[in-house]
Amino acid sequence: MSVWREVVKALPCRPILYVSDNAWCPYGPRPAEEVIERTKRISAFLVREGCGIIVVACNTATAAAIDTLRNSFVVPFVGMEPAVKPAALHSKTGVVGILATRGTFKGRLYQETSQRFAAHIRIIEQTGDGLVELVEQGLADSPQALQLLHTYIDPMIKAGADHLVLGCTHYPFLTSAIEKISQGRLTIVDPAPAVVHHLCAIIEEIEKGSCSHSEPISPHQYRFYSTGPGVALLACCNRMIPDAASSKFYDHLDIY
C-alpha cells in the first residue's frame, strides 16, 4: 500500500487493482521457489482481470521472481529494489544502513546494485525480522515497533550511518517511529517514488503521452483483494482513502 499511495498520486486518472497476499505474508523467510509460484498465480489473476501493467510492490517478490514473471507474461512488470544508489551518492559519512528482508538481500538486483554503486561506502545490512507482522497488525506506531526498531537502527547510528534505505514496502509505514529514533540523524530513503517514476515512463512510452481519462477517478474504481482476511487491508485503506467505503473490497481471494 505504500507503493499504491505513490501510484495514485502520480496517476490519479487510472483505475487500479490491488492484491494483498496476506494469507502468505510475510514473504521474507519463504523459499524463493514458493515466492515465485505465488507471484505467478497472482500475476495470472491480474492479467485475467485486464491489467496492462503490473507493479510487483514487494522487494522480496521482485528479488525472487521478477525475471520469471517477465518471461512468463506479455505485460510489462515494474519491480522494487532497495534505493542503494541515491543513498550511496548522497551519504556524507560514507555509511549507509539498509533495512530489508533476507530474501531481498539474497536477490540479484540488490547484489548488482550494491556492487555497482556502493563499492566505495560501508553498507550495514539489517534484516527487519518482525516488522512486517507489526505493520500488518496495525502496530506501526506501537511501543513494540519502537522497541524492535531501536535494536535494528541504534547500531547503524552508532556506526555513523547518515542514510537509512527502506528495503521493504511495509517499512514506510514505520517512518514516524524511525524518525523518533533517529532524531534527524538519518535520511530515510523510500524507493517507491522512483519506482512510480519508472512506471509513468513505461506508460508514456506505451501510450505516447495519451491518457484515456482526463479527470481523477472516483474511489469506486479502485479494487482491493486479499487472499486472507481483509480486515488489515480495509483498515489501511480507511486511513489512506477519503472515501474508502465506495471502493470495492474482496477478501479470501482463491488463487491456488
Side-chain angles (χ1 to χ4, degrees):
M1 286 298 293
S2 65
V3 179
W4 181 92
R5 175 174 55 194
E6 298 299 324
V7 172
V8 171
K9 288 179 184 177
L11 300 167
C13 60
R14 301 284 172 163
I16 302 172
L17 193 159
Y18 178 93
V19 174
S20 166
D21 194 17
N22 59 341
W24 288 65
C25 182
Y27 275 6
R30 293 187 178 276
E33 296 78 11
E34 199 169 85
V35 175
I36 290 171
E37 181 61 24
R38 293 300 299 171
T39 53
K40 285 179 67 176
R41 289 176 179 269
I42 292 170
S43 297
F45 168 76
L46 293 171
V47 170
R48 289 196 302 270
E49 292 295 312
C51 293
I53 299 177
I54 296 176
V55 179
V56 184
C58 171
N59 293 74
T60 302
T62 299
I66 195 69
D67 293 332
T68 299
L69 296 175
R70 286 171 174 160
N71 291 328
S72 301
F73 300 92
V74 296
V75 302
F77 282 82
V78 178
M80 306 290 301
E81 61 180 281
V84 177
K85 179 181 177 181
L89 289 175
H90 293 101
S91 174
K92 291 181 172 58
T93 64
V95 183
V96 170
I98 301 180
L99 194 61
T101 67
R102 288 185 176 87
T104 296
F105 284 131
K106 292 178 182 178
R108 174 183 60 81
L109 288 174
Y110 170 75
Q111 295 291 338
E112 291 179 354
T113 301
S114 298
Q115 292 171 10
R116 183 177 179 184
F117 298 108
H120 63 290
I121 67 167
R122 178 187 175 191
I123 291 181
I124 302 175
E125 298 178 352
Q126 175 62 59
T127 56
D129 294 337
L131 294 176
V132 169
E133 292 87 339
L134 288 171
V135 172
E136 286 284 327
Q137 295 167 30
L139 299 174
D141 294 315
S142 68
Q144 301 99 301
L146 195 65
Q147 182 179 6
L148 186 56
L149 283 167
H150 265 294
T151 65
Y152 295 153
I153 295 174
D154 286 351
M156 297 180 183
I157 295 174
K158 187 176 181 180
D162 61 352
H163 282 68
L164 174 63
V165 178
L166 303 182
C168 172
T169 53
H170 282 77
Y171 297 170
F173 293 107
L174 296 161
T175 297
S176 177
I178 294 172
E179 289 175 342
K180 290 179 183 177
I181 294 170
S182 70
Q183 297 181 349
R185 291 171 290 184
L186 291 173
T187 297
I188 301 171
V189 185
D190 177 5
V195 169
V196 173
H197 179 76
H198 180 50
L199 169 65
C200 292
I202 292 176
I203 293 175
E204 184 175 356
E205 176 63 25
I206 292 173
E207 301 182 351
K208 301 302 180 184
S210 68
C211 181
S212 58
H213 305 277
S214 59
E215 297 293 334
I217 66 171
S218 60
H220 75 269
Q221 294 193 50
Y222 299 138
R223 283 187 286 159
F224 299 91
Y225 294 81
S226 59
T227 56
V231 176
L233 178 59
L234 180 58
C236 184
C237 290
N238 282 331
R239 292 194 299 269
M240 295 172 63
I241 308 173
D243 191 16
S246 63
S247 298
K248 296 180 180 179
F249 292 86
Y250 309 86
D251 59 5
H252 294 94
L253 173 66
D254 184 3
I255 58 167
Y256 293 91

